[in-house]
Amino acid sequence: MLMKRFQLFILCFWLALMSASAQSFTLKGKVMDGDMQPLELATVSCVQQGKVTMTNLKGEFSLQLQSADSVVVRFTMIGYKGKTRVLRRPRGTQTIQIQLIDESRQLDEVTVTEQRRQTGSTQQLNTKDLRQTPSATGNAVEELIQQQAGVSTHNELSSQYNVRGGSFDENCVYINKVEVYRPFLVRSGQQEGLSVINPDMVEKIGFSTGGFEARFGDRMSSALDITYRKPKRFEGTASVSLLGASAYIGLASKKLSWSNAIRYKTTRYLLGSLETKGEYRPNFLDYQTYLSYQPNKRWTIDLIGNISENHYNFIPKDRETKFGTMENVKDFRVYFDGQEKDVFRTYFGTLNITRHLSERLLLSAIASAFYTKEQERYDIQGQYWLTQTETSENLGVGTYMEHARNYLEADVESFKLMLNNKSGKHETEAAVAYRMEHISEQSREYEMRDSAGYSVPHTGKDLYLIYSLNARNKLNANRIEAYVQDTYKFTSASEETFYTLNYGVRFAHWNFNRETLLSPRASLGIVPAFNHDVTFRLAAGLYYQAPFYKELRDTITTGGITTASLNSNIKSPRSIHFIVGYDYRFRMNERPFKFTAEAYFKALSRLIPYSVNNVKIVYYGDNSATGHTAGIDLKLYGEFVPGTDSWISLSLMNTKMKLNGRSMPLPTDQRFAMNLFFTDYFPGTTRWKMSLKLAYADGLPFGPPHRETDMQAFRAPAYKRADIGMSFRALNNEDRHSRSPIRNIWLSLDCLNLLGIHNVNSYYWITDVTSQQYAVPNYLTGRQLNFRVQVEF
């Protein structure tokens, strides 16, 4: 009897075990992207059973689930279109492979989509629909950068930007792994034409506000990495507005892809809102081509060409500016005679030949050339009256004369040999480059001021110009650069914590000042086991600002005449970066959000003091200062409105520079900045879209012109601006099986400077016979409307 009970117990236990085994199964597989590359940290979830896991560094996953008539499994990742799979009565071990497609290739309503998870110092952004946002410059990529945390601008006419207390020249820009340059003589936003980056051709944007990798050049503030798109089929866009026009066409075959783009820009309508009235005739033209040819799997040949022709012609007539306080209003009135004619002509080209030694090993030979010929010529005389409005008292009456004949010609050629290798958990990149630099400059500038019939300044015996500059310089120099870096992705023993370590070193030698630089850099990203929605980031490195033409110019004043020469003893300014970052991804009301915080400290040494007027930077030609920059950047990004992406950012910063024994803020000391980018649809429709851009940034230090930096004891008012745009999708063939070549037609109306705020860009200083100076603000553009039509093919 006992034996029968024991046998019955064994039988029941065995049946229960078999039943439990039959009700559970193992789901294994791999998640790939559109190029069949593994996607790490993608989410695999079964909501019904409350089970979730993430893919490892190889894109693989394993999940234990309970069997049922149907088991729904969801595969998702930020920046990619999610997929759902339904398993029917699964048993045992199920193996599946999933391919997630980049949303930028699928969705048209996404404005900016961050790609993958940021575990390094470079964030990935996308410019899919920035053409529908309000823009004063037409340079969509730079305007996107200007809205990021830690980045600031105080001039809507300029595409240049400051990053964490750095100057415009401290930002390096790459297009398809080749560093690009800007014109040298540009001194105002009005002169700036079209950026070398064509937004119609851009596929990827990588941007770092500090702690960037060794593959990026010797700059102290930021790195912008642009990758141009290779069209997979015929595509095109055409747009026209009151500020210009553009057209893009992309062609593709099995072995060849070819992109062509042309842009025309005129800011005559926009400049008409400035207080200085006259005849503005700015014309900017740009053509770019990108050809990629792959004859077989072993070879790839890429060619990029760019021609830019920028003309700025201006005949001023008169100007009236009121400034001061409500109780103390001053009126500045000027009548002009003369004109300005500027030409900036640039050519840029790259050739990249890549040998695919294997699927994971690439060898590239890259050649590039940049040429610019620039002319800045103006003779402008102004007769001015400065009046106290309440009493009609004349505070100053006089004449000034400004003259310039500036000519510059430069060419830079470079040759780079680069090796890329992916091996297991390592991704290694190394390169060596040789660069030849040739610059020829002839400059003659002077400014005369005559206040009430007296030349200022004067000694009683001698008369002097208030400013006079002569420069005749030539630079012929060579640089050797090399770097090696490795990205190592690994996990903890339990494979629950993910690590991304990037480390490398950069070497450079310049024969002009006989200086050799060594720049080690490292960053670490951690996705902790306790929460895979959290990412910690650490970065540190030694960075140099390799001097070039502008930094080399050292000035000596003798007898009232300033002469500029090139200082061959100049050294590279140095910055040590320390960065701590935190990312948290979460969902609110079933919508994705991401909160980012970064704290940073930069120890600065061997600084070359400089002053900023509009967008012109004047360096003092010696390493005579030290300093620091510290701050914190906060950003909340996500779907504030379902189906659209928006963000808000806040930056707090403190900079100090020690010069001649005195402590003072850097010229770029912006203590706070806030930016908001918000998109929404009209209720009940996705055909009407609204985009709003808000900026509020602290004013920058300033002082009298042609003085030392330690004389800049004043601070400009805060920069405040609001732009709003309304877009109507007049035609949508995106999701229809239409034979029409037209995919979309957008009609847009933008209101630039919606609140009509008078932002100050710079100051014009006048002097009376008692040598008292008055700072007259130069205001930026007023409220303007811009209408745009865009057609997508």
Side-chain angles (χ1 to χ4, degrees), residues 154 156 694-697 717-722 753 755-759:
H154 290 77
E156 65 270 9
L694 300 179
Y696 181 55
Y719 181 83
K720 304 177 286 289
R721 186 173 175 89
N753 195 0
L755 304 180
I757 298 173
H758 294 287
N759 287 304

Side-chain angles (χ1 to χ4, degrees), residues 629-673:
T629 301
I632 185 170
D633 296 328
L634 307 174
K635 180 179 177 181
L636 178 62
Y637 170 94
E639 293 188 9
F640 293 18
V641 173
T644 65
D645 292 328
S646 307
W647 71 83
I648 184 172
S649 66
L650 170 66
S651 298
L652 303 174
M653 184 183 68
N654 171 264
T655 70
K656 289 294 182 182
M657 175 176 63
K658 191 171 184 181
L659 176 64
N660 299 330
R662 294 181 55 189
S663 179
M664 65 197 73
L666 284 167
T668 54
D669 180 47
Q670 181 180 272
R671 296 170 296 188
F672 65 86

Side-chain angles (χ1 to χ4, degrees), residues 260 305 383 487 569 599 670:
N260 291 274
Q383 296 180 327
T487 301
N569 296 318
Q670 181 180 272

Side-chain angles (χ1 to χ4, degrees), residues 548-566:
F548 201 32
Y549 157 74
K550 291 182 181 180
E551 294 93 328
L552 294 176
R553 296 175 92 236
D554 191 7
T555 56
I556 299 175
T557 302
T558 304
I561 298 178
T562 301
T563 303
S565 60
L566 303 183

Side-chain angles (χ1 to χ4, degrees), residues 392-404:
S392 299
E393 177 187 0
N394 285 329
L395 302 177
V397 178
T399 302
Y400 67 84
M401 174 71 179
E402 295 178 340
H403 166 90

Side-chain angles (χ1 to χ4, degrees), residues 4-24:
K4 290 182 178 181
R5 290 182 177 180
F6 179 76
Q7 291 175 345
L8 182 60
F9 172 79
I10 293 296
L11 179 61
C12 292
F13 177 79
W14 176 253
L15 291 175
L17 185 64
M18 293 296 293
S19 175
S21 176
Q23 292 176 358
S24 66

Side-chain angles (χ1 to χ4, degrees), residues 111-175:
T111 302
V112 181
T113 304
E114 297 192 59
Q115 304 297 311
R116 302 194 178 186
R117 183 189 299 263
Q118 181 185 347
T119 55
S121 58
T122 302
Q123 58 177 321
Q124 297 295 323
L125 299 175
N126 188 299
T127 58
K128 175 62 180 177
D129 271 356
L130 281 179
R131 291 184 297 271
Q132 271 77 57
T133 62
S135 171
T137 67
N139 300 318
V141 174
E142 285 84 353
E143 291 195 5
L144 169 63
I145 298 300
Q146 291 170 354
Q147 299 170 58
Q148 301 305 307
V151 185
S152 64
T153 181
H154 290 77
N155 190 343
E156 65 270 9
L157 294 174
S158 173
S159 62
Q160 303 195 51
Y161 49 87
N162 304 108
V163 179
R164 291 180 175 174
S167 71
F168 304 138
D169 297 329
E170 295 178 19
N171 308 311
C172 59
V173 180
Y174 285 76
I175 296 180

